Amino acid sequence: MGFILLGLFDHTLTHQVLFSLVFMTFIASLVGNALMILLIHTDPRLCTPMYFLLSQLSLMDLMLVSTIIPKMAANYLMNSTSISPAGCGSQIFLFLTLGGGECFLLAAMAYDRYVAICHPLHYHVLMSQKLCSHLAAGSWLMGGVDGLMQASATLSFPYCHSREIDHFFCEAPSLVRLACADTTVFEFFMYVCCTLMLLIPLSLIVVSYSLILAAVLRMHSATARKKAFATCSSHLAVVGLFYGALMVIYMRPKSYHSVGHGKVVSAFYTIFTPVLNPLIYSVRNKEVKGAFRNWLSKKHAM
């Protein structure tokens, strides 16, 4: 027996307009992240550790929107609300895998910026291709372990009463509230697990940027300081958007949880953040814009 997703929108005119906006954002996110991956893997100027890690971030964002939005859109357009237990478990697993993986990937990207600014002469030694591959694989692995543990534990509870999930996708905290069993221990474990998954990478990011700030302040050249700040500003913007949303979802005390507020924050994280990331990394990035122009010129020459 499946579950019922109450969704994000109803069929009023206002919500139909909002749904159209969300769907266009979804398409823009697919195109933006796919294009970022394509440019990074085809343009020689972007074959650097920073852009390799950025391609992994784009892949995670691409998979995240593909995990949530198509099912939400299909249910809305077909006036359906059902989702199978397997589909629900898949959404929980992929959402947590991609969210957890992105936490550690952002920490790896912060370390990359630290090495680039504080140890520029040893950058290609300290950020070797092998290390980059290990950092990316470790991010996926840590996210996958977290997702597997929480998805399997969530679906192991009996659901014998209401099967209505007041959300637009299967999220572990929303599903656990429906269980007809004592979930206190699991909810505490889930809270601790999510807190650690957020705070450990965030601590590494804070340490990296503290060392970067100290190094930048010691620079005598105003041009060098400006270049260093410009290099880090994109990553800091992404970190702020990502961690801000996830902390509101997973680190608030239970007494402060609101279903409506949780839906809005989840929508921002799952729908709008993935489309903002490629924009943030491309608008002020001359290398990405140059790679895009080269790609367009090649297409026109064909």
Side-chain angles (χ1 to χ4, degrees), residues 214-273:
V216 170
L217 293 176
R218 288 196 299 268
M219 292 177 180
H220 300 295
S221 168
T223 305
R225 283 198 298 272
K226 185 178 179 181
K227 184 178 179 180
F229 279 125
T231 302
C232 298
S233 60
S234 298
H235 184 249
L236 283 173
V238 170
V239 168
L241 287 170
F242 178 81
Y243 275 95
L246 283 191
M247 283 182 173
V248 170
I249 295 172
Y250 289 107
M251 291 184 64
R252 285 181 302 162
K254 194 174 179 180
S255 57
Y256 287 91
H257 280 200
S258 161
V259 173
H261 187 254
K263 280 186 182 182
V264 172
V265 177
S266 294
F268 178 79
Y269 166 65
T270 58
I271 299 169
F272 295 105
T273 300

Side-chain angles (χ1 to χ4, degrees), residues 36-37 39-56 108-109 112-113 116 123-124 127-133 135-136 231 281 285 287-288:
M36 185 68 77
I37 294 169
L39 293 177
I40 290 170
H41 287 281
T42 56
D43 194 292
R45 291 175 299 179
L46 303 185
C47 292
T48 65
M50 181 183 82
Y51 289 111
F52 170 75
L53 294 174
L54 179 56
S55 72
Q56 296 298 302
M109 294 172 77
D112 169 76
R113 292 301 82 207
Y123 178 71
H124 291 288
M127 286 299 295
S128 64
Q129 185 176 359
K130 184 178 180 181
L131 177 61
C132 285
S133 299
L135 289 172
T231 302
Y281 276 105
N285 191 309
E287 291 172 324
V288 173

Side-chain angles (χ1 to χ4, degrees), residues 115-131:
V115 174
I117 292 171
C118 299
H119 303 283
L121 298 179
H122 301 98
Y123 178 71
H124 291 288
V125 176
L126 295 174
M127 286 299 295
S128 64
Q129 185 176 359
K130 184 178 180 181
L131 177 61

